Amino acid sequence: MPLNIVAMVKQVLDPEVPVSAYRIDRQKKRVEIDPTKKIAPVINGFDETAVEAALRIREAGHDVKITVLSAGASFVTDVMKKALSMGSDEMVLVQDPALEGVSDSTVTARVLAGAIKKLSPFDLIIAGRQASDWDNAQVPLGLAELLGVPCIPVTRKVEIQNGDVVCERVIPNGYEVVSAPLPAVVTVSNELGQPRYPTMRNIMAAARKKPQTWTLADLGITDLATKLTMLDLFIPEKQSKCEIIQGDDNNPVDAARKLALRLRETKLV
Amino acid sequence: MADAKGVLVIGEAAGGQLDASAKELLAHGRKLADSLGEPLSIAILGDNLGGAPKEAIAFGADRVYAVSDPVLKEPQPEAYLAALTALAKEQSPKVIVAAKTPLGVNVGPRLAFRLETGLAQDCLEVKIDGNKKLVANRPVFGGNCMVSVACDSLPMMAVIRLKTAEPLPRNDSRSGEIVPVNPRLDPSVVKAKVIKRVEEKQEGKRLEDAEVIVSGGRGLGGPEPFQKELKELADLLGGVVSSSRAAVDIGWVPYSYQVGLTGKSVAPNLYIAVGISGASQHMAGLSGAKNIVAINKDANANIFKESRFGVVGEWQKVVPALIQAIRELK
């Protein structure tokens, strides 16, 4: 029996897009990207790290089956397939128009928990520490609660030892080694290291794989009641009042000297 | 929860002393409790709470649940969760707030799920609106946007970012009630066990407490300037060195240096950003910084929009000259 790993992956707006290309719909409370820019979405960066963590467990010599799981209203298949072409085995997409614009962690966790129960048995769920769109950092924790399993959040190393998951959890001034029995949920942070680039061989293999698609009805989920109401969504205004200090003849050394004087005048040094 | 009442703060303490995060939370909680016209409570968990409960009263609490149990000796999230779930069910607070600490971000959302309620994560501001609902402002999309969210179910919960409130002035003559709670925790609730904790020692002051911070980013080009020029400038100003996430990801400095959304929140009087572009996820850790000075060769870098003073130029020239000029002024 292989170890069943579920890697949670979310499709998000490319976080590298400059805020000037954002189009905010204050009525619907949605962020969209200026369509004329033709910028494709991406897999949430921390979720690519989750896939990387799963692949490293395989490379440590364990027999694993890696299933990528996501939920959303619509997907760009080529974007999502990156998780497969990195080396995962299967992909399940919970795709339902009712999930359009959902940003409530309670709802997302409930949907994903439903999908994982349908997928079961599972041994280890690996997710990114947070998604770069709503930055909620709640879904994996909620998932652990709904499934009744332990959770180790924000880790930089994930290993399987004697049937337990053993992680290095990032804390402000160091790390903790935390161990939990399986099944469990862990989340990973960028400190784990760079996610790999897909190899040509894996890209070809992924091209032949067809994601399995489930609707909310397939999961028996009808209740999408939220716990929070979004009242407003906006881009905060920044007043630029920066005093740019220039040196004579654009001399940086002179600029530094003038900066020192200004810092002294304003009692900052 | 029809009779839900009051505000409950999840307070952290160590070595018998209240953590700075708990003092900040009490300042937030006091405002919320006063707008509701209801009492402010704090739950402090541990095996030996020492003077922390009295301190909490001096910093604004009306009631302290002093939750002590041998299982709470270490900050094990599942033990905290078990104790807090029982307390919240028994006391039915209207509002529960936690701090964005490693423990708070773990326990807060899970407590919300156990209590079948919602939680506003990583909030900068919290208030009670005209409908007596908890309304929170929180950054999203890496800090590029803000949302305002209202909590619709009881208890209304939020995790609040550090350094978003000044603690109230300590007043040892305030009166309050200390309620001892013995949860009699079953040690088997702790499934995820901390086997060891490794502290990566940092020299000097903690970033979170520093009044002056000299910070470097990708623009520095390598690890050496953090130990050399940046450290020299920081030492001269009695400050400490930090970094952006880019510098941590490349491996120039350890994670303990990182300021930003997934790093530390800091609140220095002076923050000198060297070779940092000022991506919103970095600025997210700087909402408490009072004066930002930017040194960057790219005149269009976002950091200049957020700074009080800026010098456009190569750091290799500007920083050594700045060090020398400040030395001469001293």
Side-chain angles (χ1 to χ4, degrees):
Chain A
M1 245 318 248
L3 193 74
N4 284 298
I5 300 182
V6 184
M8 313 293 288
V9 164
K10 186 180 187 186
Q11 178 183 306
V12 295
L13 297 185
D14 187 341
E16 300 296 328
V17 171
V19 74
S20 57
Y22 280 33
R23 297 287 173 271
I24 303 259
D25 185 333
R26 276 182 106 145
Q27 289 303 312
K28 287 190 185 151
K29 319 278 189 305
R30 294 205 191 141
V31 180
E32 275 148 22
I33 300 292
D34 179 353
T36 65
K37 304 270 190 218
K38 298 203 185 340
I39 299 171
V42 296
I43 290 178
N44 176 43
F46 294 122
D47 297 348
E48 284 192 5
T49 309
V51 175
E52 176 65 30
L55 293 167
R56 287 186 191 180
I57 292 172
R58 167 177 290 158
E59 281 154 12
H62 300 280
D63 177 19
V64 299
K65 180 181 154 199
I66 303 168
T67 306
V68 175
L69 173 64
S70 190
S74 60
F75 294 97
V76 179
T77 313
D78 284 348
V79 169
M80 296 303 289
K81 274 210 166 170
K82 184 174 180 193
L84 282 175
S85 53
M86 283 174 74
S88 305
D89 300 303
E90 289 179 9
M91 175 176 280
V92 174
L93 303 175
V94 181
Q95 188 170 356
D96 200 300
L99 295 172
E100 184 70 49
V102 165
S103 63
D104 194 287
S105 300
T106 317
V107 175
T108 311
R110 216 184 296 142
V111 170
L112 292 173
I116 284 167
K117 280 181 192 153
K118 194 172 157 79
L119 269 178
S120 61
F122 71 93
D123 298 296
L124 180 63
I125 297 170
I126 311 182
R129 63 181 289 173
Q130 65 198 68
S132 59
D133 48 5
W134 297 103
D135 286 318
N136 250 317
Q138 294 199 61
V139 168
L141 296 163
L143 208 48
E145 289 299 320
L146 295 174
L147 297 169
V149 301
C151 182
I152 309 176
V154 196
T155 65
R156 63 177 199 186
K157 193 175 192 184
V158 184
E159 291 180 336
I160 302 294
Q161 294 176 10
N162 307 320
D164 288 343
V165 59
V166 180
C167 300
E168 285 183 13
R169 175 172 193 229
V170 180
I171 54 172
N173 292 310
Y175 67 94
E176 288 173 340
V177 179
V178 188
S179 163
L182 297 176
V185 176
V186 305
T187 81
V188 291
S189 190
N190 48 294
E191 290 78 16
L192 187 123
Q194 280 291 332
R196 69 197 58 199
Y197 290 104
T199 60
M200 196 45 78
R201 189 165 151 256
N202 281 341
I203 291 172
M204 309 272 276
R208 285 189 298 271
K209 287 177 187 164
K210 204 172 151 30
Q212 204 174 142
T213 307
W214 294 339
T215 62
L216 293 180
D218 293 334
L219 303 179
I221 292 174
T222 49
D223 176 17
L224 294 177
T226 58
K227 303 282 188 189
L228 303 175
T229 302
M230 218 189 289
L231 303 174
D232 199 3
L233 169 67
F234 56 97
I235 296 175
E237 290 201 17
K238 286 173 190 158
Q239 321 107 310
S240 184
K241 287 183 295 188
C242 184
E243 181 182 328
I244 297 286
I245 298 174
Q246 280 189 313
D248 293 342
D249 302 326
N250 275 330
N251 179 348
V253 175
D254 190 47
R257 198 179 48 80
K258 286 182 173 157
L259 172 62
L261 286 171
R262 286 293 285 137
L263 292 175
R264 168 51 63 92
E265 281 163 18
T266 50
K267 299 194 163 54
L268 290 173
V269 301
Chain B
M1 297 230 187
D3 306 325
K5 202 172 174 190
V7 175
L8 176 69
V9 164
I10 301 173
E12 292 173 40
Q17 287 196 311
L18 205 56
D19 191 66
S21 64
K23 295 174 190 169
E24 292 170 23
L25 272 186
L26 283 169
H28 281 293
R30 190 69 260 167
K31 271 207 290 193
L32 298 175
D34 290 346
S35 344
L36 285 168
E38 292 175 15
L40 172 62
S41 307
I42 182 170
I44 309 177
L45 295 79
D47 69 330
N48 178 12
L49 301 175
K54 278 199 168 147
E55 248 187 300
I57 293 170
F59 282 102
D62 299 314
R63 184 183 302 140
V64 180
Y65 297 108
V67 187
S68 52
D69 192 291
V71 183
L72 294 167
K73 183 167 192 281
E74 292 287 322
Q76 301 273 16
E78 286 155 315
Y80 267 63
L81 271 169
L84 287 168
T85 306
L87 183 71
K89 285 190 171 159
E90 194 185 291
Q91 300 298 335
S92 302
K94 205 176 266 175
V95 173
I96 302 179
V97 291
K100 194 191 174 190
T101 58
L103 190 70
V105 292
N106 188 338
V107 166
R110 292 165 80 179
L111 182 61
F113 273 87
R114 285 193 193 186
L115 299 173
E116 294 180 17
T117 189
L119 174 142
Q121 176 73 282
D122 193 15
C123 305
L124 299 179
E125 287 171 81
V126 286
K127 63 176 186 206
I128 302 293
D129 75 354
N131 303 318
K132 302 247 164 197
K133 275 191 178 170
L134 180 70
V135 172
N137 284 342
R138 54 179 302 262
V140 292
F141 289 82
N144 283 324
C145 306
M146 289 281 288
V147 285
S148 173
V149 291
C151 297
D152 292 328
S153 57
L154 288 172
M156 302 181 282
M157 293 186 65
V159 167
I160 305 176
R161 193 179 283 188
L162 300 175
K163 304 288 177 187
T164 51
E166 285 284 327
L168 299 170
R170 182 181 182 127
N171 177 0
D172 285 306
S173 61
R174 277 193 90 250
S175 60
E177 179 191 3
I178 296 174
V179 183
V181 180
N182 298 302
R184 292 191 183 80
L185 293 174
D186 175 354
S188 73
V189 297
V190 179
K191 302 273 195 294
K193 294 192 171 74
V194 178
I195 298 168
K196 71 170 176 182
R197 185 170 291 126
V198 180
E199 304 263 337
E200 283 160 1
K201 284 229 163 41
Q202 253 188 307
E203 293 170 48
K205 266 184 226 123
R206 285 166 15 112
L207 266 181
E208 295 91 323
D209 305 327
E211 279 296 302
V212 177
I213 294 176
V214 182
S215 197
R218 197 196 295 271
L220 290 185
E224 299 82 13
F226 287 92
Q227 306 305 327
K228 205 170 157 243
E229 289 89 345
L230 263 49
K231 183 163 188 309
E232 199 178 343
L233 181 56
D235 286 348
L236 184 63
L237 301 172
V240 285
V241 177
S242 72
S243 78
S244 69
R245 177 176 148 185
V248 176
D249 280 351
I250 309 168
W252 293 343
V253 285
Y255 173 70
S256 55
Y257 277 61
Q258 184 179 319
V259 168
L261 187 68
T262 54
K264 287 175 179 150
S265 289
V266 296
N269 188 38
L270 176 62
Y271 187 87
I272 303 180
V274 186
I276 290 179
S277 65
S280 44
Q281 70 92 11
H282 181 67
M283 301 317 293
L286 285 176
S287 45
K290 287 162 205 84
N291 298 283
I292 300 175
V293 174
I295 298 168
N296 202 298
K297 66 176 180 188
D298 176 9
N300 295 317
N302 183 61
I303 190 79
F304 289 114
K305 296 197 182 95
E306 317 250 4
S307 300
R308 180 167 176 198
F309 297 114
V311 172
V312 180
E314 289 180 353
W315 71 266
Q316 292 93 332
K317 297 196 173 114
V318 178
V319 174
L322 182 63
I323 292 170
Q324 197 190 342
I326 292 172
R327 267 209 191 104
E328 283 166 9
L329 287 174
K330 287 214 164 194

